[in-house]
Amino acid sequence: MDRTFYVTTPIYYVNDVPHIGHAYTTIAADTLARYKRLCGYDCFFLTGTDEHGQKVEKAARETGQAPLELADRVVERFKGLWDALHITADDFIRTTEARHREAVTALYQRVWEKGDIYLGDYEDWYCTPCETFWTETQLAGGNTCPDCGRPTERLKEKSYFFRMSKYQDALVRYLEEHPDFIQPASRYNEILSFVKGGLRDLSISRTTFTWGIPVPNDPDHVIYVWFDALTNYITAAGFPGDEKRFQQYWPADCHIIGKDILRFHAVYWPTFLMSAGLPIPRKVFAHGWWTVEGQKMSKSLGNVVDPNQLVKEYGVDPVRYFLLREVPFGIDGDFSRSAMVHRINSDLANDLGNLFSRTLSMVVKYFDGVIPAPSNLQDVDRRLQEASEKVFPLLAQQMDELAFNKALISIWEMVSAANKYIDDTAPWTLAKAEKDRPRLGTVLYHTLESLRLIALLLAAFMPSTAEKMWSQLGIEEQLWEQNIKENGTWGGLEPGKKVVKPIPLFPRIEA
């Protein structure tokens, strides 16, 4: 059986407008999924939408719609954006689907039967926009929400509680035995000290609204958002009905999330699973936030970046490249148009685009587009081969660490090596003398072969660019049927096949 790899994004709240943060998480997950498929994994990549809760109910009421009508409309925004960004999710889950309701009910039932749910009174400061209760000590000044800064109100209601406190010691032990479970390391330390500080029991039902999954043993209550939402990851993996599929894909290999929802994924979720006797995911990776031109992104400032607009202006692959290359995955980044234009012009148009165009143009000019056969290798040729052979194992390690920017830097080292090779070997000079023709053929073969390998390495990050390179190099085999291990070795390009006249990969952008 193939090795499996299961990667998820969070499910996005339908009351949001899709922004650069959503795009960032999903592009990262897509890149990882594409890479794992190219490594021969049976990869399962899940994204979706979180559609229950008070905010959706309230927004629907204000526009005179049923909550499901609102969700049906908004979900298309996310699906449309994923199409625009060339996202290859294997499943798109909605929390309003019957399969999800069944999974949440089954998980609740298991935890209930374990004796880990009880009825009590819940009283605290409640923020409606965030759907979160806060304790007195957590509030910001003037009883405002520490997350969104809006006023909270004191609420008391009957609620079912999950005995999270019971799992404190087990979670500390798990975290200490699995230091790679939460990444990056700074986030791991933060969660470990939070758990050691003491876990309170968690309210997991509400009676203040009706838009949600009813509590199985008490339909006057609906299951609170986090118990409902987090379950999506096991719903899609086949829980509870498809045992074979569940065994195949669960536990998930990697939940990719924003740092604001780390606690839910690294504290609540593992304790729910422990109670239900289910395996814990292998890794939760919390990435940073994006500011825009140095300022926090907010609707009131009007600086929310629309990824659809970016794709229209710059093209999908430059957007994917910029987001993953600009900052190390896991820390905060700043989005600026000037930085984006600079990356497109220098890295993409100059380094890669020029290398590709001038190589293919020379093959068309000097060999009628036929790929020449190499002969009599020199040290300079071997150095180019060695540069390519170093990249593949390095990339494998960087992708396992989700170090996307390092992976792109490694690929660009190969682009630089190929550019230097052309400058050192000066094929345009070799073309002047008939006696140098075999040498010219060797040089151009080596440059073409390095471009084939660059296309393979880049495919997960910039899929349509890699496809264009692949087809212009005249390769008949499908790019997505390649295996990085088998096809990532030097010498895979077949002499005698024809390349096509190059079409520029990246037009320069005039600032």
Side-chain angles (χ1 to χ4, degrees), residues 370-396:
V370 176
I371 297 171
S375 60
N376 300 334
L377 300 196
Q378 297 180 8
D379 284 349
V380 69
D381 309 323
R382 290 189 193 95
R383 279 199 298 275
L384 184 63
Q385 282 189 32
E386 282 159 16
S388 84
E389 282 154 9
K390 275 189 201 133
V391 176
F392 284 85
L394 191 59
L395 193 82

Side-chain angles (χ1 to χ4, degrees), residues 241-268:
D242 190 340
E243 188 58 35
K244 186 174 172 231
R245 179 179 171 78
F246 192 64
Q247 291 294 329
Q248 189 178 350
Y249 290 117
W250 191 260
D253 293 274
C254 190
H255 290 321
I256 299 180
I257 58 166
K259 64 182 182 181
D260 52 324
I261 53 174
L262 177 60
R263 194 176 293 174
F264 307 111
H265 284 79
V267 180
Y268 296 13

